[in-house]
Amino acid sequence: MLEIKKLNVSVEDKHILKDLSLNIGKGEIHAIMGPNGSGKSTIAHTLAGNPNYLVQSGQIEFHNKNLLELDPSDRSLLGLFLAFQYPIELPGVTNATYLKQIVNVHRKKEGLDPIDAGEFLKLLREKSKRLDIPMDMHSRFVNTGFSGGEKKKNEVLQMDLLNPSLVIMDETDSGLDVDALKSTSEAVNQLRSSDRSFIIITHYLRLLEYIEPDFVHVFQDGAIVESGDKSLASRIDQEGYAG
Amino acid sequence: MNKVSKDNFQQDKYKYGFVTDIESDKIPKGLNEDVIRLISKKKEEPQWMLDWRLKAYERLQHMEPPKWVKAKFDDIDFQDIYYYASPKDFKDKPKSLDEVDPKLLETYEKLGIPLKEQKVLAGVAVDAVFDSVSVATTFKDKLDEIGVIFCPISEAIRKHPDLVKKYLGTVIPVTDHYYATLNSAVFSDGSFVYIPKGVKCPMELSTYFRINASETGQFERTLIVADEGSYVSYLEGCTAPMRDENQLHAANVELVALDNAEIKYSTVQNWYPGDENGVGGIYNFVTKRGLCKGVNSKISWTQVETGSAITWKYPSCILRGDNSTGEFYSVAITNNYQQADTGTKMIHLGKNTKSRIISKGISAGKSSNTYRGLVSFNKRAKNAKNYTQCDSLLVGGKCSAHTIPLTENGSNDSSIEHEATTSKISDEQLFYVMQRGLDAEAAQGLIVNGFCKEVLQKLPMEFAVEAQKLVNISLEGSVG
């Protein structure tokens, strides 16, 4: 469903991704590990279409479409979801209003009418419960003044509401305490399905202990230096990236 | 987002920019005593009104237009303006809509103010002002029944001279400042509202101002009086054709609230803002002032300012009655080369008077947006309170926002709270929201509407949704 071929990406004139190729099949979970600055977040933002990340060459196909031709919003509507490492604050915009609007824009794409207020509240209550999100968080402004944990949970909540076919989690585990890591991982595990693929970007093994990957790739200097199964993650945890 | 970069401007979709092809009857260009006599004659005014105008004109000879506004523009040639224009053969105001030129009815329909359907559909009475005359006022009979007077001010001068004489110029003195004095000399039409004692006006009253004729200024004069214990909610809207000249709109609006009365005055200002290069557009130099004359009275100004090349106005409250309240809620949006210098004055004279100011300025393109405000506590204003909040939002990197809050405190047990913020819509915010499926304009709309929601909510419900759309349209072309 996702095919990345010989991708070269630069950020602020700095060449970051170098001839990166990667295939993700339907329902697969791929973990990307690697030291700081190895290009892990770059691949996440490039896939989502962040205009600060410039594709110099290469191809990305997503559901047989040329992803590079699409705006970030069209990529989202096609099923791509990025859980941000640093979720952005939207002062003045209440979380509930925002969530409803993003749900409705996806419904519109599917030819559905906007969700009715009562139905949305019910949906929100049910999904929030799974993540231990208190309902009063939704009357606050999007991510504004949220704790690190609240922000990350709000990302997973959005993922759950939008039903994506490809989820990219950019260091979702950073800034989470053990309890939050556990409830967040459980929520993610419940979202696993044969139709949904994941790219999980992380520094550490601990998230992968909860969410078991099918493949592990090690990033170094903008390219994959090693790929393997989940045992690779444990080895790296013991030996480090240099080993 | 990849295709269009920031600061890439496209023509605003100003859908009100058409011209109605109707012959107009104009008084020759220029400002002199003869012109004033002619305006007064056209309006069939009594002698006292003409004298009042001439006194203002005499005073104007010794005045200069003020220069302190934070906006750049060439000096206005006051002799190069038509001071009066009306649709041709418009001698008497038509008695019913059937007598109104169909072209005029069509114009208002195109503007979204169908004068005929309005009668049936909404609970809103409309006075439609076209250049210098009022062409129709709806629901008059129904309002008559409960004693509410809602008519063009020219009609009020003839039919209700005692009320007009008693209040006209009592809030904005004839000699106030150049543009207010100019208006007093040459004013043409606007609305007059009188709400009798104890009456809560059952419908929204609304005036729709349209400039159509070229090289013509509009000098609206509106006077609203709410007698003891009464309530009224009034809304004005304004549009003008797209032209490469600048046209002057210099209005005076006076509000008087007696004991226990409340006036809620809302403005949705959408005058032609000029094109993306800053050519053309209306100079909106307006004096709006309300007097809380009685105890426990309340005046609330809500404005959504999206149009005009230059907006220069400070809807103000004089809080004379003890326990009276003044409020000012404002959203001012500037895009391209628009300039806005707007805010309010809250003059606390009475005891226990309260005022609240919420101002939201949004600048995009190469525009300049200034909040200027004055909160003044008189020595007598024991226990007076003010709360002021000024927020600015910048879209793109070429615009500017300024906040100039002034305070004068002559009372030692009063309190002023002031908060101000400046923020920017960042690329990160847009990308974040777009990653969830909203396109660039919808993403910006979400963020901007969140920013000014607090003010938009103060508008009468019938207009809040329209205003929200207008906010989005005004910023079109300012993001990629």
Side-chain angles (χ1 to χ4, degrees), chain B residues 27-173:
Chain B
I27 285 179
K29 265 186 188 175
L31 181 60
N32 53 56
E33 226 180 274
D34 290 343
V35 163
I36 291 163
R37 286 179 191 279
L38 256 171
I39 293 172
S40 185
K41 199 174 162 200
K42 291 253 179 211
K43 301 275 180 198
E44 297 168 29
E45 286 177 354
Q47 186 63 38
W48 64 266
M49 194 68 247
L50 174 62
D51 293 345
W52 199 83
R53 288 176 181 274
L54 290 173
K55 205 177 112 200
Y57 179 66
E58 154 59 24
R59 181 73 191 199
L60 192 70
Q61 307 307 306
H62 311 287
M63 296 169 91
E64 291 286 330
K67 299 275 188 197
W68 48 264
V69 64
K70 188 154 180 63
K72 288 184 194 125
F73 63 99
D74 293 334
D75 284 350
I76 296 168
D77 182 353
F78 292 95
Q79 296 303 338
D80 196 30
I81 294 174
Y82 289 107
Y83 284 87
Y84 183 92
S86 78
K88 202 152 185 116
D89 301 323
F90 198 86
K91 287 198 187 83
D92 289 314
K93 189 177 168 178
K95 292 194 175 52
S96 79
L97 282 174
D98 300 335
E99 292 173 25
V100 175
D101 187 331
K103 272 186 187 163
L104 290 172
L105 293 180
E106 206 181 293
T107 299
Y108 283 92
E109 212 145 299
K110 260 169 102 174
L111 295 170
I113 321 285
L115 297 172
K116 280 190 168 165
E117 271 123 292
Q118 199 88 23
K119 281 192 131 170
V120 196
L121 287 175
V124 181
V126 178
D127 183 18
V129 177
F130 192 86
D131 290 328
S132 309
V133 292
S134 163
V135 296
T137 312
T138 64
F139 281 116
K140 271 186 77 174
D141 300 345
K142 198 177 164 195
L143 292 168
D144 270 352
E145 281 171 28
I146 48 168
V148 170
I149 304 170
F150 178 43
C151 67
I153 194 137
S154 47
E155 185 182 322
I157 289 164
R158 293 193 303 270
K159 292 191 179 163
H160 309 283
D162 294 345
L163 278 172
V164 176
K165 263 191 213 169
K166 188 168 174 190
Y167 293 107
L168 190 72
T170 59
V171 189
I172 304 171

Side-chain angles (χ1 to χ4, degrees), chain B residues 238-254:
Chain B
C238 354
T239 59
M242 289 162 75
R243 290 211 174 91
D244 57 11
E245 60 179 8
N246 294 110
Q247 286 179 276
L248 178 64
H249 173 84
N252 279 9
V253 174
E254 295 177 281

